[in-house]
Amino acid sequence: DVKVTQSSRYLVKRTGEKVFLECVQDMDHENMFWYRQDPGLGLRLIYFSYDVKMKEKGDIPEGYSVSREKKERFSLILESASTNQTSMYLCASRTGTGSPDTEAFFGQGTRLTVV
Amino acid sequence: DQQVKQNSPSLSVQEGRISILNCDYTNSMFDYFLWYKKYPAEGPTFLISISSIKDKNEDGRFTVFLNKSAKHLSLHIVPSQPGDSAVYFCAASAKTGANNLFFGTGTRLTVIP
C-alpha cells in the first residue's frame, strides 16, 4: 500500500520561529510537492521537486524554502513563521515524466497554527 | 491566475439523487484530469481520472465527463450517499513542462439523508 507520511498532524508555533515540516514517501517517486490549503483558495503549490537536490518554485514560495537530500524525503521550511502562514500543509508525491497519466498521492496533512 | 476553476463552492443533494460537480480549465495544454475527495483534517484521496483522449470514464458510482472544446469536465455521483459528503477538488496536468497538478478551489458536497 502506497504511503506518504507527514511528520506531524498538528503543530503550534510562535511568530518568528523556524519551522520544519517533514514528508516521506515509500513509492520511489521522482516528484514531490508541498501545497497549502486555505478556505476558498483550494490547494496552492508552494514548491516542488522533480529529483534529489532539485527544486522549483510554485505559486506561493515567499516565506518558504525546501530541501530534498534523499529521494524519499521532502522538507518544507518556514524560515520565520508568521501568522499568515497558519494553514493546512499537504505533501504529495507522483511518479516521473515516464508515466504522466498518474495520480499524486497525498499525506494526511499538517495543521499549522502560528501564534 | 487560476487555471482550474470550480465555480460552485458548495452543493447539497438528497441521498439517492445524482450529484454533479463542475470544473473549467483555461490551459489547452492540460491533457490529464483528476478528481480528489477530501475530508476535514485529512489529505485528499484520489477518486477518478480521465485522459484527454477520452470523453468519459466510469468507476462504479463515479463518472467523469470531459468536453475538450468547452474546456469543461464534470463529476457525476449516482446514487449519492451521505458518506460522499466532502470537499471535491478538480485537478489537471500537462505532459509537457513540470509534473505538478493544478487544483481548483474545491466544491463542498453535502448529501442529505
Side-chain angles (χ1 to χ4, degrees):
Chain A
D1 202 15
V2 298
K3 207 158 186 183
V4 179
T5 304
Q6 294 182 228
S7 52
S8 304
R9 291 295 298 269
Y10 300 95
L11 275 180
V12 180
K13 296 292 181 180
R14 296 196 180 278
T15 301
E17 276 193 78
K18 191 167 185 176
V19 181
F20 293 86
L21 303 183
E22 308 285 345
C23 176
V24 176
Q25 51 100 358
D26 64 0
M27 296 165 281
D28 201 36
H29 284 167
E30 291 82 1
N31 299 290
M32 296 188 74
F33 310 90
W34 276 105
Y35 292 89
R36 63 178 279 179
Q37 183 202 0
D38 300 289
L41 298 176
L43 275 66
R44 293 182 293 166
L45 182 65
I46 304 171
Y47 266 98
F48 68 97
S49 168
Y50 53 89
D51 202 350
V52 175
K53 297 191 186 295
M54 307 304 289
K55 60 186 179 185
E56 293 283 344
K57 292 180 180 179
D59 300 319
I60 51 165
E62 296 78 17
Y64 304 94
S65 62
V66 290
S67 171
R68 189 145 180 226
E69 296 297 317
K70 293 184 178 181
K71 191 175 186 180
E72 67 270 20
R73 187 179 297 270
F74 192 35
S75 303
L76 179 70
I77 304 152
L78 285 66
E79 298 291 343
S80 177
S82 64
T83 54
N84 63 12
Q85 293 177 309
T86 291
S87 187
M88 168 71 95
Y89 289 87
L90 295 159
C91 175
S93 73
R94 192 182 188 201
T95 192
T97 52
S99 302
D101 288 355
T102 59
E103 70 266 35
F105 295 86
F106 281 85
Q108 76 276 31
T110 297
R111 170 67 68 183
L112 172 67
T113 302
V114 182
V115 298
Chain B
D1 193 25
Q2 196 81 21
Q3 299 187 60
V4 178
K5 299 177 184 179
Q6 294 176 258
N7 292 319
S8 298
S10 63
L11 175 68
S12 290
V13 172
Q14 286 291 134
E15 181 178 3
R17 306 295 285 266
I18 184 171
S19 296
I20 301 176
L21 295 91
N22 293 302
C23 178
D24 297 291
Y25 62 96
T26 57
N27 190 338
S28 57
M29 297 300 292
F30 288 151
D31 51 17
Y32 186 61
F33 304 90
L34 310 89
W35 284 94
Y36 281 83
K37 177 180 178 179
K38 187 181 184 300
Y39 293 117
E42 293 184 14
T45 54
F46 170 73
L47 198 54
I48 192 169
S49 64
I50 188 166
S51 167
S52 59
I53 61 173
K54 295 183 174 181
D55 54 18
K56 177 182 173 182
N57 188 27
E58 194 171 350
D59 183 3
R61 296 186 298 115
F62 303 92
T63 303
V64 56
F65 295 91
L66 175 63
N67 182 335
K68 288 187 289 295
S69 60
K71 295 192 177 69
H72 177 83
L73 63 154
S74 60
L75 174 69
H76 293 211
I77 306 173
V78 181
S80 301
Q81 299 173 354
D84 296 329
S85 297
V87 178
Y88 289 78
F89 290 99
C90 170
S93 71
K95 282 189 176 64
T96 57
N99 244 0
N100 52 304
L101 295 177
F102 295 84
F103 283 86
T105 51
T107 297
R108 180 177 300 279
L109 173 66
T110 302
V111 180
I112 304 163

